Amino acid sequence: MSKAKNAYQIDKEIETVYSHLSSHPDVKKGLAYLEADQTNTLHEQIELAEISAPPFQEETRARAFMKKLEELGLEEVQQDSEGNVFGRLRGERKGPTLFVSAHIDSVFSMETDVTVTEKDGIYYGPGITDDARGLAALLSIVRAFSHSGLKPEADIIFGGTVGEEGPGDLRGVKAFFNEHPEVEGFISIDAVSPTAIVYKGTGSYRYEITYTGPGGHSFGAFGTPSAVHAAGRAISAISDLNPPVDPKTTFNVGVVQGGTIPTAIAEEAKLYIDIRSNGKKELDQLDSRIQVILQEAAEMENRKTGQYGDAGIRVDINKLGDRPVGVQDDQARVVQTAWAATEQLGLVPTLEDALSTDANLPISIGVPALTLGAGGDGGGYHSLDEWFDPTNAHLGPQRVFLTILGLSGIAKTTLPLLPEK
Amino acid sequence: MSKAKNAYQIDKEIETVYSHLSSHPDVKKGLAYLEADQTNTLHEQIELAEISAPPFQEETRARAFMKKLEELGLEEVQQDSEGNVFGRLRGERKGPTLFVSAHIDSVFSMETDVTVTEKDGIYYGPGITDDARGLAALLSIVRAFSHSGLKPEADIIFGGTVGEEGPGDLRGVKAFFNEHPEVEGFISIDAVSPTAIVYKGTGSYRYEITYTGPGGHSFGAFGTPSAVHAAGRAISAISDLNPPVDPKTTFNVGVVQGGTIPTAIAEEAKLYIDIRSNGKKELDQLDSRIQVILQEAAEMENRKTGQYGDAGIRVDINKLGDRPVGVQDDQARVVQTAWAATEQLGLVPTLEDALSTDANLPISIGVPALTLGAGGDGGGYHSLDEWFDPTNAHLGPQRVFLTILGLSGIAKTTLPLLPEK
């Protein structure tokens, strides 16, 4: 789902910066280091993948990652109250500050065996790629700064976020940007591609809906409104919706659970609904329509049975997830910068469709942000068969490194391309 | 939900029989025995209630009950292949043979503590009334025959049936009447009232419906038909049905379960549906309409998404329960006989609305049948709080005893009121 743009335009200023970078000896040293560091990076990736980090239980992996940030000599290494860990690479000046992170959490429970195994050069293990690879790539990049002697023009915060996956609802990145309004740019290192540029975020709302009613015997109390019947009315009406195709906007009643036995009129029924869009307005329009349907379903069941108030069906709506839509122009400076960095490695950049990553949040609040791959190849995400192929995996960290150098500048050499507020 | 009939008519022939019975010294002896046997009956009721007898696991209680039938001197005491136990009280002649039974099974699982406790004269225990009381009342009635010296004119089979409750689907009584086409009358001793006459059976069908589809990611695979959406469409259409009020006809989607997580398009969704009616035609009409809806729901979801065949939703319909409707005239001889028996005890008979009991089956195949109470008072049926109050409990067995004497006759004294085929 990527589109190659043959005629993608790079601003003169950005071209000039990358022309500097291409001939800068310390940049070459940094890139060479990242290639040489491949085995080390893979070992660190496996080490981190083998520490379980389910949503809301990231603490052990977070501590291990924080210790590594300290050992690499970052300043002000800390853990915030949400659980994020990060430290500062000081530049010539403070801003515009860039935050570079990978996410600490994986989707797997504490009970999942996260041992990594290797076969024919492919590494298998739940979470081996998503996002242990991102964490390891980030550490390698921090080392590349010290080995190359490169100092950024503006401060960079390197860290790991909690709560990127499902139930985490981006809690880490939300807390970080709430606490750090001074941060003016963001790169999430996630997935693997060294050419894809993710610059838009699919927004989503997730709901738990509970219908409740008085219940009763199927025959004796026939005419009593049913929580299952109300839930069915809601599902049916939602199923008939026709949200816009562009920007892509979707709904799904993923789970329904209601009632106890066939001969009892259900007292309770629950729905779990996921709605998504690449457009903010479209997401909210679909959301509003569904809110109306959810209420109407209870009203229809009550009207059919002539029961109201305590004798009728009530609906309770609990918002479980809120991932903001991230809309950014494909000609934004941050996108152009990643494009130029990709081309400098001799690779062909691609502008990706929207995904749901940590970058959604900063984009939604106007902070330029990207999600860039950590290198290598991978698949089976969120399944027990997740795998990682380290072939040419250094291209990931190299591209992120070059993008960071463009965005944050090199001390006394290039100015940060990251726009200041 | 009972209706007293002031002007209920009893045929002359039946009046004559009960006039004989009222002055018959052995009948008086039998009635006196049933009152004197109260404490013994209560002990036997507790003893049987404390033997777990879940549906399909009635064996231990069945064996204990069978041993008691043998000890009481019934002939040909046996267990059939379905698990029913019964024996014959021989009359002057074979037919018309009456089958008198209580049901052996209770709704409670093997894990349920079925210990009976007493407080202020009330007995508490899961299954203490439904139908341990019926079994005990039946044993007391068999004893009343031997203590009174009364011999019936026609054979009576006394026994216990398996599978009356929920999942049992009347399997015991179905098997019995399949094996015993010669039996021409039936009394089920169930519930407690010594005045209520249950002579109609509510029919019911029970279904497990499974919708299946290909599944996929809520956003990436949007446009894939959803098993939960199809199930919701079915529930919604069923909810809007308006079955007849008389004969009472009802539907209930009691349980719905579908999907795994909010972000996955559901691959499977199940519905559990209960439909009931006091009219055979009405039950089958509602059933036909629901069958169409169940298919249409899958078709609507497929049409909405433009996916068919293996890419679409399929529906599988599994019939879990089939209890036939029992329709009998309220002036049927068997009803008049129970009426006369009730009045002979100085009680006011009531004609009850249809229930779902073992009597459904014989009524549905044209065999005169009743469900009569076992005496005392009770409540909390099918709950852990079930209770039994033994006050004046002898009226139950006395009424059944008098009804049996009318239906089966007294040797060389009265002819059986039970119509011969």
Side-chain angles (χ1 to χ4, degrees), chain B residues 215-377:
Chain B
H217 188 271
S218 63
F219 190 70
F222 184 69
T224 301
S226 153
V228 163
H229 293 186
R233 291 172 187 276
I235 297 170
S236 180
I238 291 169
S239 304
D240 277 332
L241 292 173
N242 289 299
V245 173
D246 186 22
K248 185 170 180 176
T249 304
T250 69
F251 60 82
N252 185 52
V253 184
V255 183
V256 59
Q257 294 166 336
T260 52
I261 53 170
T263 56
I265 296 167
E267 291 181 35
E268 185 180 281
K270 282 180 182 289
L271 306 181
Y272 293 86
I273 302 178
D274 176 66
I275 65 180
R276 301 192 179 208
S277 182
N278 291 338
K280 179 161 169 44
K281 189 186 66 177
E282 290 76 10
L283 182 64
D284 286 333
Q285 279 175 345
L286 178 61
D287 185 41
S288 300
R289 184 73 201 100
I290 287 176
Q291 299 299 320
V292 170
I293 287 174
L294 294 172
Q295 299 291 343
E296 280 178 346
E299 287 160 17
M300 282 168 69
E301 179 67 6
N302 292 342
R303 204 154 50 233
K304 169 78 191 309
T305 57
Q307 302 294 327
Y308 302 93
D310 285 350
I313 299 291
R314 279 147 293 134
V315 59
D316 180 63
I317 298 173
N318 180 19
K319 197 171 200 172
L320 297 179
D322 184 346
R323 290 170 184 252
V325 176
V327 179
Q328 210 169 208
D329 195 277
D330 62 5
Q331 286 290 330
R333 281 165 74 96
V334 71
V335 181
Q336 289 190 35
T337 303
W339 188 281
T342 312
E343 285 190 326
Q344 184 157 332
L345 289 172
L347 301 172
V348 180
T350 55
L351 296 177
E352 289 295 304
D353 278 343
L355 292 177
S356 178
T357 69
D358 268 351
N360 281 40
L361 189 279
I363 300 174
S364 78
I365 58 172
V367 173
L370 299 171
T371 296
L372 298 177
D377 199 1

Side-chain angles (χ1 to χ4, degrees), chain B residues 103 164 170 173 186 188-191 198-202 323-324 354-363 369-372:
Chain B
H103 65 86
E164 193 271 348
L170 307 185
V173 74
F186 178 67
S188 170
I189 310 179
D190 204 350
V198 178
Y199 64 101
K200 293 183 295 190
T202 303
R323 290 170 184 252
L355 292 177
S356 178
T357 69
D358 268 351
N360 281 40
L361 189 279
I363 300 174
L370 299 171
T371 296
L372 298 177

Side-chain angles (χ1 to χ4, degrees), chain A residues 206 218-219 222 228-229 232-233 239-242 248 250-256 258-259 262-264 274 276 304, chain B residues 206 218-219 222 228-229 232-233 239-242 248 250-256 258-259 262-264 274 276 304:
Chain A
R206 202 165 295 174
S218 64
F219 190 70
F222 184 68
V228 162
H229 293 185
R233 291 172 186 276
S239 304
D240 276 333
L241 292 172
N242 289 299
K248 185 172 181 177
T250 67
F251 60 82
N252 185 52
V253 184
V255 183
V256 59
T263 57
D274 176 66
R276 300 193 181 208
K304 169 79 190 311
Chain B
R206 202 167 294 175
S218 63
F219 190 70
F222 184 69
V228 163
H229 293 186
R233 291 172 187 276
S239 304
D240 277 332
L241 292 173
N242 289 299
K248 185 170 180 176
T250 69
F251 60 82
N252 185 52
V253 184
V255 183
V256 59
T263 56
D274 176 66
R276 301 192 179 208
K304 169 78 191 309

